[in-house]
């Protein structure tokens, strides 16, 4: 079921990216410092990252995961065009390959959340399907990688719609939350 959801999300995000105007393509996502180009580049990596990439990237980034992901996305964005990035997402939409150490559901979390990171700052509505979002949220709340337990340790899990809760659980700020 996860692969069916993931393929749909990858194709939906590719459609969204393809629909952006040139001005929107250059705008910043909810991931501070990343334009749509860098976000698209990041989204191509889950099926193209192997152990060697992780190990060399981690050493180069002084074992800072976020720095490693940032450097990788910027490098890919600098060498690939918009059509190339979108084509890469489409080509691997149904691929079960995932980055080392990633759980089978992690790429789905990535696409659900990053789809919102793209749509929301542009004022676009991107529906997050409830069943995949609930599965992603359950995973994020249990996984030490995403940091949700730490985020909700003092305040508890707020009573919000699942898509907004998933965004908060993965470190996004939701207005009014």
């Amino acid at each position: 079921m996860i692969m069916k959801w993931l393929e749909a999300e990858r194709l939906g995000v590719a459609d969204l990216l393809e629909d952006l105007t040139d001005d929107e393509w250059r705008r910043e996502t909810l991931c501070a410092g990343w334009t749509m180009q860098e976000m698209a580049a990041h989204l191509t990596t889950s099926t193209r990252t192997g152990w060697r990439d992780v190990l060399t990237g981690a050493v180069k980034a002084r074992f800072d995961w976020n720095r490693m992901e940032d450097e990788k996305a910027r490098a890919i964005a600098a060498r690939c065009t918009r059509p190339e990035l979108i084509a890469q997402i489409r080509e691997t939409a149904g691929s079960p390959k995932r980055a080392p150490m990633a759980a089978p559901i992690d790429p789905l979390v990535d696409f659900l959340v990053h789809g919102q990171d793209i749509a929301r700052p542009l004022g676009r509505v991107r529906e997050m399907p409830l069943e995949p979002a609930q599965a992603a949220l359950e995973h994020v709340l249990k996984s030490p990688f995403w940091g949700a337990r730490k985020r909700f340790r003092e305040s508890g899990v707020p009573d919000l719609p699942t898509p907004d809760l998933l965004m908060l659980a993965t470190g996004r700020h939701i207005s009014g939350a």
Side-chain angles (χ1 to χ4, degrees), residues 113-163:
V113 171
H114 289 322
Q116 298 300 311
D117 290 336
I118 293 165
R120 290 182 181 200
L122 299 175
R124 292 181 178 228
V125 175
R126 176 163 170 71
E127 295 298 325
M128 193 183 290
L130 189 56
E131 195 175 359
Q134 287 173 328
L137 179 60
E138 287 173 21
H139 171 68
V140 166
L141 291 173
K142 292 181 217 168
S143 170
F145 175 79
W146 295 98
R149 289 185 291 200
K150 183 178 174 184
R151 281 186 194 93
F152 296 141
R153 185 175 300 142
E154 292 180 19
S155 64
V157 179
D159 184 21
L160 292 170
T162 301

Side-chain angles (χ1 to χ4, degrees), residues 55-66:
L55 295 173
T56 57
V59 169
K60 185 179 172 190
R62 296 183 297 283
F63 299 96
D64 179 322
W65 184 268
N66 290 329

Side-chain angles (χ1 to χ4, degrees), residues 35-154:
T35 64
M36 303 298 165
Q37 174 97 2
E38 285 129 2
M39 178 62 73
H42 168 69
L43 290 171
T44 68
T45 63
S46 68
T47 58
R48 292 175 163 82
T49 301
W51 276 107
R52 184 176 184 187
D53 302 310
V54 171
L55 295 173
T56 57
V59 169
K60 185 179 172 190
R62 296 183 297 283
F63 299 96
D64 179 322
W65 184 268
N66 290 329
R67 181 183 294 137
M68 179 183 76
E69 290 296 316
D70 181 67
E71 289 173 358
K72 185 176 7 171
R74 289 179 190 282
I76 294 168
R79 73 174 181 264
C80 293
T81 65
R82 177 181 180 174
E84 289 170 333
L85 294 171
I86 295 168
Q88 288 177 29
I89 293 169
R90 285 191 191 288
E91 287 164 8
T92 59
S95 174
K97 187 172 182 328
R98 58 186 189 274
M101 301 178 291
I105 198 168
D106 283 324
L108 176 64
V109 174
D110 230 21
F111 271 83
L112 287 168
V113 171
H114 289 322
Q116 298 300 311
D117 290 336
I118 293 165
R120 290 182 181 200
L122 299 175
R124 292 181 178 228
V125 175
R126 176 163 170 71
E127 295 298 325
M128 193 183 290
L130 189 56
E131 195 175 359
Q134 287 173 328
L137 179 60
E138 287 173 21
H139 171 68
V140 166
L141 291 173
K142 292 181 217 168
S143 170
F145 175 79
W146 295 98
R149 289 185 291 200
K150 183 178 174 184
R151 281 186 194 93
F152 296 141
R153 185 175 300 142
E154 292 180 19

